[in-house]
Amino acid sequence: MSGSNAWSRSREKMRLFPELFAQCAGEAASYGKCVAASTAGRQELSRDTCAQEFQALKTCFTAAAKKKAK
């Protein structure tokens, strides 16, 4: 059944997350700092406020995942 296969793939991705996150700690910290600074004092985070930092984090995760898949 294809449904169970989808769950297996999801579980595998979640198992890899801590390792991928560790490889992108700098990018994750930068994004987190941007979000925290942008929402200080009850401000709401608006779209694209931290787009550059998010893109760097996304690029890092993608590269780390591709390295892991090899």
Side-chain angles (χ1 to χ4, degrees):
M1 179 181 254
S2 63
S4 63
N5 192 20
W7 283 109
S8 295
R9 287 192 310 264
S10 290
R11 271 188 246 127
E12 182 59 30
K13 287 179 184 178
M14 290 306 293
R15 271 188 231 127
L16 291 175
F17 185 78
E19 185 177 333
L20 299 179
F21 188 75
Q23 292 180 37
C24 300
E27 290 83 352
S30 178
Y31 179 64
K33 286 177 186 175
C34 180
V35 170
S38 299
T39 58
R42 296 185 162 231
Q43 295 176 348
E44 288 189 28
L45 186 63
S46 60
R47 183 177 178 94
D48 296 332
T49 300
C50 299
Q52 184 177 359
E53 291 83 355
F54 178 78
Q55 189 59 43
L57 179 58
K58 182 179 172 184
T59 300
C60 182
F61 270 130
T62 303
K66 283 181 182 178
K67 265 195 251 178
K68 185 68 179 168
K70 288 183 179 182

Short mmCIF file of all heavy atoms in Angstrom, two decimals:
data_model
loop_
_atom_site.label_atom_id
_atom_site.label_comp_id
_atom_site.label_asym_id
_atom_site.label_seq_id
_atom_site.Cartn_x
_atom_site.Cartn_y
_atom_site.Cartn_z
N MET A 1 0.84 -1.17 0.00
CA MET A 1 0.00 0.00 0.00
C MET A 1 0.89 1.24 0.00
O MET A 1 1.83 1.35 0.76
CB MET A 1 -0.90 -0.04 1.24
CG MET A 1 -1.80 1.15 1.34
SD MET A 1 -2.81 1.07 2.83
CE MET A 1 -4.37 0.66 2.09
N SER A 2 0.59 2.20 -0.86
CA SER A 2 1.44 3.38 -1.00
C SER A 2 1.37 4.30 0.22
O SER A 2 2.29 5.04 0.50
CB SER A 2 1.07 4.16 -2.26
OG SER A 2 -0.25 4.64 -2.16
N GLY A 3 0.28 4.27 0.98
CA GLY A 3 0.16 5.10 2.16
C GLY A 3 1.20 4.79 3.20
O GLY A 3 1.77 5.69 3.81
N SER A 4 1.46 3.53 3.42
CA SER A 4 2.46 3.17 4.42
C SER A 4 3.86 3.56 3.97
O SER A 4 4.71 3.90 4.77
CB SER A 4 2.41 1.67 4.72
OG SER A 4 2.72 0.92 3.57
N ASN A 5 4.10 3.53 2.66
CA ASN A 5 5.39 3.96 2.12
C ASN A 5 5.61 5.45 2.37
O ASN A 5 6.72 5.87 2.68
CB ASN A 5 5.46 3.63 0.63
CG ASN A 5 6.87 3.77 0.09
OD1 ASN A 5 7.83 3.76 0.83
ND2 ASN A 5 6.97 3.93 -1.21
N ALA A 6 4.55 6.24 2.25
CA ALA A 6 4.66 7.67 2.50
C ALA A 6 5.04 7.93 3.96
O ALA A 6 5.86 8.80 4.25
CB ALA A 6 3.35 8.37 2.16
N TRP A 7 4.46 7.16 4.88
CA TRP A 7 4.80 7.30 6.29
C TRP A 7 6.24 6.92 6.55
O TRP A 7 6.94 7.56 7.34
CB TRP A 7 3.88 6.47 7.18
CG TRP A 7 2.54 7.09 7.35
CD1 TRP A 7 1.36 6.66 6.83
CD2 TRP A 7 2.23 8.27 8.08
NE1 TRP A 7 0.33 7.50 7.18
CE2 TRP A 7 0.85 8.50 7.96
CE3 TRP A 7 2.98 9.17 8.81
CZ2 TRP A 7 0.22 9.59 8.55
CZ3 TRP A 7 2.35 10.25 9.40
CH2 TRP A 7 0.99 10.45 9.27
N SER A 8 6.71 5.90 5.88
CA SER A 8 8.11 5.48 6.05
C SER A 8 9.07 6.57 5.59
O SER A 8 10.06 6.86 6.26
CB SER A 8 8.38 4.21 5.26
OG SER A 8 7.63 3.14 5.78
N ARG A 9 8.77 7.18 4.46
CA ARG A 9 9.62 8.27 3.96
C ARG A 9 9.60 9.46 4.92
O ARG A 9 10.63 10.07 5.19
CB ARG A 9 9.18 8.71 2.56
CG ARG A 9 9.54 7.70 1.48
CD ARG A 9 9.35 8.29 0.09
NE ARG A 9 8.05 8.92 -0.11
CZ ARG A 9 7.00 8.34 -0.66
NH1 ARG A 9 7.07 7.10 -1.08
NH2 ARG A 9 5.86 9.01 -0.81
N SER A 10 8.43 9.78 5.44
CA SER A 10 8.31 10.90 6.39
C SER A 10 9.11 10.63 7.66
O SER A 10 9.81 11.51 8.16
CB SER A 10 6.85 11.14 6.76
OG SER A 10 6.16 11.66 5.67
N ARG A 11 9.00 9.40 8.18
CA ARG A 11 9.75 9.06 9.39
C ARG A 11 11.25 9.14 9.15
O ARG A 11 12.00 9.62 10.00
CB ARG A 11 9.37 7.66 9.87
CG ARG A 11 8.19 7.69 10.81
CD ARG A 11 7.95 6.34 11.42
NE ARG A 11 6.67 5.93 10.89
CZ ARG A 11 6.40 4.80 10.27
NH1 ARG A 11 7.31 3.88 10.14
NH2 ARG A 11 5.21 4.54 9.80
N GLU A 12 11.69 8.69 8.00
CA GLU A 12 13.12 8.73 7.67
C GLU A 12 13.60 10.19 7.59
O GLU A 12 14.67 10.51 8.10
CB GLU A 12 13.39 8.02 6.34
CG GLU A 12 14.85 7.98 5.94
CD GLU A 12 15.76 7.30 6.96
OE1 GLU A 12 15.31 6.38 7.67
OE2 GLU A 12 16.94 7.70 7.06
N LYS A 13 12.82 11.05 6.99
CA LYS A 13 13.19 12.46 6.92
C LYS A 13 13.28 13.08 8.31
O LYS A 13 14.17 13.87 8.59
CB LYS A 13 12.20 13.23 6.05
CG LYS A 13 12.33 12.94 4.58
CD LYS A 13 11.31 13.71 3.78
CE LYS A 13 11.41 13.33 2.31
NZ LYS A 13 10.40 14.03 1.50
N MET A 14 12.35 12.72 9.16
CA MET A 14 12.36 13.26 10.53
C MET A 14 13.55 12.73 11.32
O MET A 14 14.11 13.45 12.15
CB MET A 14 11.05 12.93 11.25
CG MET A 14 9.85 13.68 10.71
SD MET A 14 10.08 15.47 10.65
CE MET A 14 10.16 15.85 12.38
N ARG A 15 13.97 11.51 11.06
CA ARG A 15 15.16 10.98 11.73
C ARG A 15 16.42 11.74 11.32
O ARG A 15 17.35 11.89 12.11
CB ARG A 15 15.34 9.49 11.40
CG ARG A 15 14.62 8.61 12.36
CD ARG A 15 14.96 7.15 12.12
NE ARG A 15 13.69 6.48 12.03
CZ ARG A 15 13.29 5.69 11.06
NH1 ARG A 15 14.08 5.40 10.07
NH2 ARG A 15 12.09 5.16 11.06
N LEU A 16 16.46 12.19 10.08
CA LEU A 16 17.62 12.92 9.58
C LEU A 16 17.66 14.37 10.03
O LEU A 16 18.71 15.01 10.00
CB LEU A 16 17.63 12.90 8.04
CG LEU A 16 17.90 11.57 7.37
CD1 LEU A 16 17.76 11.70 5.87
CD2 LEU A 16 19.29 11.06 7.73
N PHE A 17 16.53 14.91 10.45
CA PHE A 17 16.43 16.34 10.75
C PHE A 17 17.49 16.84 11.74
O PHE A 17 18.12 17.87 11.47
CB PHE A 17 15.02 16.69 11.22
CG PHE A 17 14.82 18.16 11.42
CD1 PHE A 17 14.61 18.99 10.33
CD2 PHE A 17 14.87 18.70 12.68
CE1 PHE A 17 14.45 20.35 10.51
CE2 PHE A 17 14.71 20.05 12.87
CZ PHE A 17 14.50 20.88 11.78
N PRO A 18 17.72 16.19 12.87
CA PRO A 18 18.72 16.71 13.81
C PRO A 18 20.12 16.82 13.20
O PRO A 18 20.84 17.78 13.45
CB PRO A 18 18.71 15.70 14.96
CG PRO A 18 17.38 15.05 14.88
CD PRO A 18 17.03 15.02 13.42
N GLU A 19 20.47 15.85 12.39
CA GLU A 19 21.79 15.88 11.75
C GLU A 19 21.88 17.02 10.73
O GLU A 19 22.87 17.74 10.67
CB GLU A 19 22.06 14.54 11.05
CG GLU A 19 23.43 14.44 10.47
CD GLU A 19 23.70 13.08 9.86
OE1 GLU A 19 23.10 12.08 10.27
OE2 GLU A 19 24.53 13.04 8.93
N LEU A 20 20.82 17.19 9.94
CA LEU A 20 20.80 18.26 8.96
C LEU A 20 20.79 19.62 9.66
O LEU A 20 21.46 20.55 9.23
CB LEU A 20 19.58 18.14 8.04
CG LEU A 20 19.48 16.85 7.22
CD1 LEU A 20 18.20 16.86 6.39
CD2 LEU A 20 20.69 16.67 6.34
N PHE A 21 20.03 19.71 10.73
CA PHE A 21 19.96 20.95 11.49
C PHE A 21 21.33 21.32 12.05
O PHE A 21 21.72 22.49 12.02
CB PHE A 21 18.93 20.81 12.62
CG PHE A 21 18.65 22.08 13.34
CD1 PHE A 21 17.86 23.05 12.74
CD2 PHE A 21 19.17 22.33 14.58
CE1 PHE A 21 17.60 24.25 13.39
CE2 PHE A 21 18.92 23.51 15.25
CZ PHE A 21 18.13 24.48 14.64
N ALA A 22 22.06 20.33 12.54
CA ALA A 22 23.39 20.58 13.09
C ALA A 22 24.34 21.12 12.02
O ALA A 22 25.19 21.97 12.31
CB ALA A 22 23.96 19.30 13.71
N GLN A 23 24.18 20.65 10.80
CA GLN A 23 25.04 21.12 9.71
C GLN A 23 24.71 22.55 9.29
O GLN A 23 25.51 23.20 8.63
CB GLN A 23 24.90 20.19 8.50
CG GLN A 23 25.47 18.82 8.74
CD GLN A 23 25.32 17.93 7.53
OE1 GLN A 23 25.43 18.37 6.39
NE2 GLN A 23 25.06 16.65 7.77
N CYS A 24 23.52 23.01 9.66
CA CYS A 24 23.07 24.35 9.26
C CYS A 24 22.83 25.25 10.47
O CYS A 24 21.98 26.15 10.44
CB CYS A 24 21.79 24.23 8.44
SG CYS A 24 22.00 23.25 6.94
N ALA A 25 23.58 25.02 11.53
CA ALA A 25 23.36 25.76 12.78
C ALA A 25 23.54 27.26 12.61
O ALA A 25 22.76 28.05 13.17
CB ALA A 25 24.30 25.22 13.86
N GLY A 26 24.52 27.67 11.86
CA GLY A 26 24.76 29.10 11.66
C GLY A 26 23.61 29.78 10.94
O GLY A 26 23.16 30.86 11.34
N GLU A 27 23.12 29.13 9.89
CA GLU A 27 22.00 29.68 9.13
C GLU A 27 20.73 29.70 9.96
O GLU A 27 19.94 30.65 9.91
CB GLU A 27 21.77 28.88 7.84
CG GLU A 27 22.85 29.04 6.79
CD GLU A 27 24.06 28.15 7.01
OE1 GLU A 27 24.17 27.48 8.05
OE2 GLU A 27 24.92 28.12 6.10
N ALA A 28 20.53 28.64 10.76
CA ALA A 28 19.34 28.57 11.61
C ALA A 28 19.39 29.67 12.67
O ALA A 28 18.38 30.32 12.96
CB ALA A 28 19.24 27.20 12.28
N ALA A 29 20.56 29.91 13.25
CA ALA A 29 20.71 30.97 14.25
C ALA A 29 20.45 32.34 13.64
O ALA A 29 19.78 33.19 14.25
CB ALA A 29 22.10 30.91 14.87
N SER A 30 20.95 32.56 12.46
CA SER A 30 20.75 33.83 11.77
C SER A 30 19.27 34.08 11.50
O SER A 30 18.75 35.18 11.73
CB SER A 30 21.54 33.83 10.46
OG SER A 30 21.33 35.03 9.75
N TYR A 31 18.58 33.05 11.02
CA TYR A 31 17.15 33.17 10.76
C TYR A 31 16.38 33.40 12.07
O TYR A 31 15.50 34.27 12.13
CB TYR A 31 16.63 31.91 10.05
CG TYR A 31 15.15 31.95 9.77
CD1 TYR A 31 14.61 32.90 8.91
CD2 TYR A 31 14.29 31.04 10.37
CE1 TYR A 31 13.24 32.93 8.65
CE2 TYR A 31 12.93 31.07 10.11
CZ TYR A 31 12.41 32.03 9.25
OH TYR A 31 11.06 32.06 9.01
N GLY A 32 16.73 32.67 13.10
CA GLY A 32 16.07 32.84 14.39
C GLY A 32 16.26 34.23 14.96
O GLY A 32 15.32 34.83 15.50
N LYS A 33 17.47 34.77 14.84
CA LYS A 33 17.74 36.12 15.32
C LYS A 33 16.93 37.15 14.54
O LYS A 33 16.41 38.11 15.12
CB LYS A 33 19.23 36.44 15.21
CG LYS A 33 20.07 35.74 16.25
CD LYS A 33 21.54 36.04 16.05
CE LYS A 33 22.38 35.22 17.01
NZ LYS A 33 23.81 35.39 16.75
N CYS A 34 16.81 36.95 13.25
CA CYS A 34 16.03 37.87 12.41
C CYS A 34 14.56 37.85 12.83
O CYS A 34 13.94 38.89 13.00
CB CYS A 34 16.17 37.49 10.94
SG CYS A 34 15.22 38.58 9.84
N VAL A 35 14.01 36.65 13.01
CA VAL A 35 12.62 36.53 13.42
C VAL A 35 12.40 37.15 14.79
O VAL A 35 11.45 37.90 15.00
CB VAL A 35 12.16 35.05 13.40
CG1 VAL A 35 10.81 34.87 14.06
CG2 VAL A 35 12.13 34.52 11.98
N ALA A 36 13.31 36.87 15.72
CA ALA A 36 13.18 37.43 17.07
C ALA A 36 13.25 38.95 17.04
O ALA A 36 12.47 39.63 17.72
CB ALA A 36 14.27 36.86 17.97
N ALA A 37 14.18 39.51 16.28
CA ALA A 37 14.31 40.95 16.19
C ALA A 37 13.10 41.59 15.51
O ALA A 37 12.68 42.69 15.87
CB ALA A 37 15.59 41.32 15.43
N SER A 38 12.55 40.89 14.55
CA SER A 38 11.41 41.42 13.79
C SER A 38 10.11 41.37 14.57
O SER A 38 9.16 42.07 14.23
CB SER A 38 11.25 40.65 12.49
OG SER A 38 12.40 40.78 11.70
N THR A 39 10.05 40.54 15.59
CA THR A 39 8.80 40.39 16.35
C THR A 39 8.93 40.93 17.77
O THR A 39 8.06 40.69 18.59
CB THR A 39 8.37 38.91 16.40
OG1 THR A 39 9.41 38.13 16.98
CG2 THR A 39 8.04 38.39 15.02
N ALA A 40 9.99 41.67 18.03
CA ALA A 40 10.18 42.24 19.37
C ALA A 40 9.10 43.29 19.64
O ALA A 40 8.69 44.02 18.75
CB ALA A 40 11.56 42.87 19.47
N GLY A 41 8.62 43.31 20.85
CA GLY A 41 7.65 44.32 21.23
C GLY A 41 6.28 44.15 20.61
O GLY A 41 5.69 45.12 20.16
N ARG A 42 5.82 42.91 20.54
CA ARG A 42 4.46 42.60 20.04
C ARG A 42 4.25 42.87 18.55
O ARG A 42 3.12 42.93 18.08
CB ARG A 42 3.39 43.34 20.84
CG ARG A 42 3.32 42.92 22.27
CD ARG A 42 2.18 43.61 22.95
NE ARG A 42 1.86 42.90 24.16
CZ ARG A 42 0.65 42.50 24.50
NH1 ARG A 42 -0.36 42.76 23.72
NH2 ARG A 42 0.45 41.86 25.61
N GLN A 43 5.29 43.06 17.81
CA GLN A 43 5.15 43.23 16.37
C GLN A 43 4.87 41.89 15.73
O GLN A 43 5.36 40.86 16.20
CB GLN A 43 6.41 43.82 15.76
CG GLN A 43 6.72 45.22 16.21
CD GLN A 43 8.05 45.69 15.64
OE1 GLN A 43 8.82 44.92 15.09
NE2 GLN A 43 8.31 46.98 15.78
N GLU A 44 4.11 41.89 14.66
CA GLU A 44 3.86 40.66 13.92
C GLU A 44 4.90 40.51 12.83
O GLU A 44 5.33 41.50 12.23
CB GLU A 44 2.46 40.68 13.31
CG GLU A 44 1.37 40.53 14.32
CD GLU A 44 0.01 40.32 13.67
OE1 GLU A 44 -0.03 39.79 12.55
OE2 GLU A 44 -0.98 40.70 14.29
N LEU A 45 5.26 39.29 12.56
CA LEU A 45 6.20 39.00 11.49
C LEU A 45 5.47 39.12 10.17
O LEU A 45 4.41 38.52 9.98
CB LEU A 45 6.76 37.58 11.66
CG LEU A 45 7.86 37.16 10.70
CD1 LEU A 45 9.10 38.03 10.91
CD2 LEU A 45 8.22 35.70 10.93
N SER A 46 5.99 39.92 9.29
CA SER A 46 5.34 40.07 7.99
C SER A 46 6.10 39.27 6.93
O SER A 46 7.28 38.96 7.10
CB SER A 46 5.25 41.54 7.59
OG SER A 46 6.53 42.12 7.52
N ARG A 47 5.40 38.98 5.89
CA ARG A 47 5.96 38.16 4.80
C ARG A 47 7.23 38.82 4.25
O ARG A 47 7.30 40.02 4.08
CB ARG A 47 4.92 38.02 3.70
CG ARG A 47 5.35 37.14 2.58
CD ARG A 47 4.21 37.01 1.57
NE ARG A 47 4.63 36.21 0.45
CZ ARG A 47 4.43 34.90 0.34
NH1 ARG A 47 3.79 34.28 1.30
NH2 ARG A 47 4.82 34.24 -0.72
N ASP A 48 8.20 38.01 3.99
CA ASP A 48 9.48 38.41 3.39
C ASP A 48 10.37 39.26 4.28
O ASP A 48 11.37 39.79 3.82
CB ASP A 48 9.27 39.11 2.04
CG ASP A 48 8.66 38.20 1.00
OD1 ASP A 48 8.86 36.96 1.08
OD2 ASP A 48 7.98 38.70 0.09
N THR A 49 10.02 39.41 5.56
CA THR A 49 10.87 40.18 6.47
C THR A 49 12.24 39.53 6.60
O THR A 49 13.25 40.21 6.55
CB THR A 49 10.22 40.31 7.85
OG1 THR A 49 8.96 40.96 7.70
CG2 THR A 49 11.09 41.08 8.82
N CYS A 50 12.28 38.23 6.74
CA CYS A 50 13.54 37.49 6.90
C CYS A 50 13.76 36.54 5.72
O CYS A 50 14.32 35.46 5.88
CB CYS A 50 13.51 36.72 8.21
SG CYS A 50 13.34 37.78 9.65
N ALA A 51 13.34 36.97 4.54
CA ALA A 51 13.41 36.11 3.36
C ALA A 51 14.84 35.70 3.02
O ALA A 51 15.10 34.55 2.66
CB ALA A 51 12.77 36.80 2.16
N GLN A 52 15.78 36.63 3.16
CA GLN A 52 17.17 36.33 2.82
C GLN A 52 17.73 35.26 3.77
O GLN A 52 18.38 34.30 3.32
CB GLN A 52 18.00 37.60 2.90
CG GLN A 52 19.44 37.41 2.48
CD GLN A 52 20.21 38.71 2.50
OE1 GLN A 52 19.66 39.78 2.81
NE2 GLN A 52 21.48 38.66 2.19
N GLU A 53 17.46 35.39 5.05
CA GLU A 53 17.94 34.43 6.03
C GLU A 53 17.26 33.07 5.85
O GLU A 53 17.88 32.02 5.97
CB GLU A 53 17.69 34.94 7.45
CG GLU A 53 18.53 36.13 7.82
CD GLU A 53 17.98 37.47 7.34
OE1 GLU A 53 16.96 37.49 6.61
OE2 GLU A 53 18.56 38.51 7.70
N PHE A 54 15.95 33.10 5.54
CA PHE A 54 15.23 31.86 5.31
C PHE A 54 15.78 31.14 4.08
O PHE A 54 15.95 29.92 4.09
CB PHE A 54 13.72 32.11 5.13
CG PHE A 54 12.96 30.85 4.84
CD1 PHE A 54 12.67 29.96 5.86
CD2 PHE A 54 12.57 30.54 3.55
CE1 PHE A 54 11.98 28.79 5.60
CE2 PHE A 54 11.88 29.37 3.29
CZ PHE A 54 11.59 28.50 4.31
N GLN A 55 16.05 31.88 3.02
CA GLN A 55 16.57 31.28 1.80
C GLN A 55 17.94 30.63 2.06
O GLN A 55 18.22 29.55 1.55
CB GLN A 55 16.68 32.31 0.68
CG GLN A 55 17.01 31.71 -0.67
CD GLN A 55 16.00 30.68 -1.14
OE1 GLN A 55 14.80 30.88 -1.02
NE2 GLN A 55 16.47 29.57 -1.66
N ALA A 56 18.77 31.28 2.86
CA ALA A 56 20.07 30.70 3.20
C ALA A 56 19.89 29.40 3.98
O ALA A 56 20.60 28.41 3.72
CB ALA A 56 20.90 31.70 4.01
N LEU A 57 18.94 29.38 4.91
CA LEU A 57 18.67 28.17 5.68
C LEU A 57 18.14 27.06 4.79
O LEU A 57 18.57 25.91 4.87
CB LEU A 57 17.68 28.47 6.82
CG LEU A 57 17.28 27.31 7.71
CD1 LEU A 57 18.50 26.67 8.37
CD2 LEU A 57 16.28 27.77 8.76
N LYS A 58 17.22 27.40 3.92
CA LYS A 58 16.63 26.41 3.00
C LYS A 58 17.71 25.83 2.07
O LYS A 58 17.75 24.62 1.85
CB LYS A 58 15.54 27.09 2.17
CG LYS A 58 14.83 26.19 1.21
CD LYS A 58 13.76 26.96 0.46
CE LYS A 58 13.17 26.13 -0.65
NZ LYS A 58 12.21 26.91 -1.44
N THR A 59 18.57 26.68 1.56
CA THR A 59 19.66 26.23 0.69
C THR A 59 20.59 25.29 1.43
O THR A 59 21.01 24.25 0.90
CB THR A 59 20.44 27.44 0.13
OG1 THR A 59 19.53 28.26 -0.61
CG2 THR A 59 21.58 27.00 -0.76
N CYS A 60 20.90 25.63 2.68
CA CYS A 60 21.77 24.77 3.49
C CYS A 60 21.13 23.41 3.73
O CYS A 60 21.78 22.37 3.59
CB CYS A 60 22.09 25.46 4.80
SG CYS A 60 23.22 24.51 5.84
N PHE A 61 19.85 23.40 4.13
CA PHE A 61 19.14 22.13 4.36
C PHE A 61 19.14 21.27 3.10
O PHE A 61 19.37 20.06 3.16
CB PHE A 61 17.70 22.37 4.79
CG PHE A 61 17.52 22.50 6.28
CD1 PHE A 61 16.81 23.55 6.79
CD2 PHE A 61 18.05 21.57 7.15
CE1 PHE A 61 16.62 23.68 8.16
CE2 PHE A 61 17.87 21.69 8.52
CZ PHE A 61 17.16 22.75 9.02
N THR A 62 18.85 21.89 1.97
CA THR A 62 18.81 21.15 0.71
C THR A 62 20.16 20.55 0.37
O THR A 62 20.26 19.38 0.00
CB THR A 62 18.34 22.09 -0.44
OG1 THR A 62 17.07 22.62 -0.09
CG2 THR A 62 18.23 21.33 -1.74
N ALA A 63 21.22 21.33 0.54
CA ALA A 63 22.57 20.83 0.25
C ALA A 63 22.95 19.72 1.22
O ALA A 63 23.53 18.70 0.81
CB ALA A 63 23.58 21.97 0.33
N ALA A 64 22.63 19.88 2.49
CA ALA A 64 22.95 18.86 3.50
C ALA A 64 22.19 17.56 3.21
O ALA A 64 22.73 16.47 3.35
CB ALA A 64 22.63 19.37 4.90
N ALA A 65 20.93 17.69 2.81
CA ALA A 65 20.13 16.50 2.51
C ALA A 65 20.67 15.78 1.28
O ALA A 65 20.69 14.54 1.25
CB ALA A 65 18.67 16.90 2.29
N LYS A 66 21.11 16.53 0.30
CA LYS A 66 21.67 15.89 -0.91
C LYS A 66 22.97 15.17 -0.57
O LYS A 66 23.22 14.08 -1.09
CB LYS A 66 21.93 16.94 -1.99
CG LYS A 66 20.66 17.38 -2.68
CD LYS A 66 20.94 18.40 -3.77
CE LYS A 66 19.65 18.84 -4.40
NZ LYS A 66 19.88 19.86 -5.42
N LYS A 67 23.80 15.77 0.29
CA LYS A 67 25.04 15.11 0.70
C LYS A 67 24.76 13.83 1.44
O LYS A 67 25.43 12.82 1.25
CB LYS A 67 25.85 16.04 1.63
CG LYS A 67 26.89 16.85 0.95
CD LYS A 67 27.83 17.42 1.98
CE LYS A 67 27.59 18.91 2.09
NZ LYS A 67 28.44 19.55 3.09
N LYS A 68 23.75 13.86 2.30
CA LYS A 68 23.37 12.69 3.10
C LYS A 68 22.83 11.57 2.23
O LYS A 68 23.04 10.40 2.51
CB LYS A 68 22.34 13.11 4.15
CG LYS A 68 21.98 12.02 5.11
CD LYS A 68 23.14 11.67 5.99
CE LYS A 68 22.73 10.59 6.97
NZ LYS A 68 23.85 10.01 7.64
N ALA A 69 22.13 11.93 1.16
CA ALA A 69 21.51 10.93 0.29
C ALA A 69 22.56 10.16 -0.53
O ALA A 69 22.30 9.05 -0.99
CB ALA A 69 20.53 11.60 -0.66
N LYS A 70 23.73 10.73 -0.68
CA LYS A 70 24.77 10.06 -1.49
C LYS A 70 25.38 8.90 -0.79
O LYS A 70 25.45 8.61 0.28
CB LYS A 70 25.85 11.04 -1.89
CG LYS A 70 25.37 12.00 -2.94
CD LYS A 70 26.50 12.89 -3.35
CE LYS A 70 26.02 13.85 -4.44
NZ LYS A 70 27.06 14.69 -4.91
#
